[in-house]
Amino acid sequence: MPAYNEGKNIGALLDRLEQPDIADIADLLVMNDASKDNTGAIVRDRNHAVINHVFNLGYGSGLQVGYKYAVEKGYRYVIQMDADGQHDAGNIKTILECLTTADEHGKCPDIVLGSRFVEGSVGYPTSLVKKIAYTLFRILIRLGTGKRIMDPTTGLQGLDRRAFSYYAQYNHFDDKYPDANMLMQMLLLGFRVKEIPALMHVRREGVSMHSGLKPVVYMFRMMFSIIAVWIRIKLFHVDVEAMNEEGVS
């Protein structure tokens, strides 16, 4: 769980994560991205694992640190969620169940997406700019991979060891805004991605990293990043070759 200045939100989320139904099946790691408030102290005082960044490295770098930690500690699954309380902790059990359930071919998903926009999801309010961005990203992913992903920017995800081991390696993960571009990458590389309905809440305290005019800048940056990923994999086979050479356990 990457966190930046979430002192007003993270306590309530920890209360839920510490309940037996979740605490008995999952360990908690918080990547405190050089918060200027008491985020790190709250986590530390409650005896949870916390990695404190000296400098603010960004959302993507925080996630990748978590993947590296999971590889080092030998975990089989990772479930990532935001520290602002928008991702309901009750989704954890559902995502883990999906990660461990094989399909008709005996294959389990490598990545499970907790979605706001598939059948069974609870309605979630979004701005016009974000709706346009989601639509654009869906179209690009559909054109590039043939797959239909309704919530291409969800930060609520479950990953098996094959997926997070790949993400943990150098140059395999966007260190700024790893969203739809990473889904394009993983789908093109043959990772199995499944989308399931999830319960999410509106942020109550603090400021989102996509506030103000940032969604507009983000939309254009992500659009070009998605296209660049497709070119890199489909035309130059860069990541395909790297995957075959390095191997993913």
Side-chain angles (χ1 to χ4, degrees):
M1 185 163 59
Y4 178 66
N5 292 342
E6 295 293 354
K8 294 181 179 181
N9 296 308
I10 200 167
L13 180 56
L14 292 178
D15 288 340
R16 180 65 184 94
L17 293 171
E18 290 167 357
Q19 296 302 306
D21 63 322
I22 296 177
D24 289 348
I25 63 173
D27 297 327
L28 175 64
L29 171 68
V30 175
M31 289 72 70
N32 177 34
D33 197 18
S35 295
K36 298 176 182 178
D37 64 2
N38 60 342
T39 296
I42 292 173
V43 179
R44 183 182 63 252
D45 290 347
R46 296 175 72 151
N47 297 316
H48 295 297
V50 57
I51 296 174
N52 293 298
H53 295 171
V54 177
F55 302 102
N56 183 263
L57 300 178
Y59 178 72
S61 291
L63 285 174
Q64 193 174 48
V65 167
Y67 302 144
K68 291 178 181 292
Y69 179 94
V71 171
E72 179 68 22
K73 297 296 183 179
Y75 286 96
R76 293 181 60 193
Y77 303 102
V78 163
I79 297 177
Q80 65 184 52
M81 59 188 300
D82 294 345
D84 58 9
Q86 292 191 70
H87 297 158
D88 193 284
N91 293 304
I92 291 175
K93 295 174 68 176
T94 305
I95 290 174
L96 180 60
E97 181 180 356
C98 186
L99 277 171
T100 55
T101 300
D103 61 15
E104 64 273 17
H105 304 294
K107 300 290 186 179
C108 294
D110 296 306
I111 300 174
V112 174
L113 307 176
S115 176
R116 295 163 288 184
F117 307 122
V118 296
E119 184 177 353
S121 302
V122 177
Y124 188 88
T126 56
S127 67
L128 177 61
V129 172
K130 290 184 178 180
K131 288 180 180 178
I132 294 172
Y134 299 153
T135 300
L136 176 62
F137 300 159
R138 289 171 191 149
I139 292 171
L140 289 174
I141 291 175
R142 186 67 177 269
L143 291 174
T145 70
K147 304 294 184 180
R148 185 170 179 261
I149 301 294
M150 292 302 298
D151 195 350
T153 69
T154 177
L156 178 61
Q157 300 185 19
L159 304 95
D160 68 3
R161 188 171 179 84
R162 180 172 179 254
F164 69 73
S165 293
Y166 188 78
Y167 275 160
Q169 297 177 50
Y170 174 72
N171 209 31
H172 287 182
F173 196 70
D174 186 339
D175 64 350
K176 298 300 181 185
Y177 299 116
D179 283 324
N181 52 348
M182 293 296 92
L183 291 179
M184 173 73 88
Q185 169 184 279
M186 301 305 266
L187 286 167
L188 289 175
L189 291 175
F191 287 84
R192 297 178 293 274
V193 179
K194 185 171 182 179
E195 194 173 17
I196 63 173
L199 174 61
M200 299 193 192
H201 309 286
V202 177
R203 170 189 279 271
R204 295 182 179 179
E205 300 282 352
V207 179
S208 170
M209 65 179 179
H210 293 308
S211 60
L213 293 176
K214 291 179 181 178
V216 178
V217 177
Y218 164 80
M219 178 174 66
F220 285 103
R221 181 190 185 279
M222 184 57 59
M223 178 182 69
F224 289 117
S225 181
I226 292 171
I227 295 171
V229 166
W230 187 89
I231 292 173
R232 189 174 70 240
I233 294 175
K234 296 298 289 185
L235 298 185
F236 296 105
H237 309 290
V238 174
D239 292 329
V240 175
E241 294 174 359
M243 187 174 178
N244 292 335
E245 290 174 1
E246 298 172 14
V248 178
S249 59

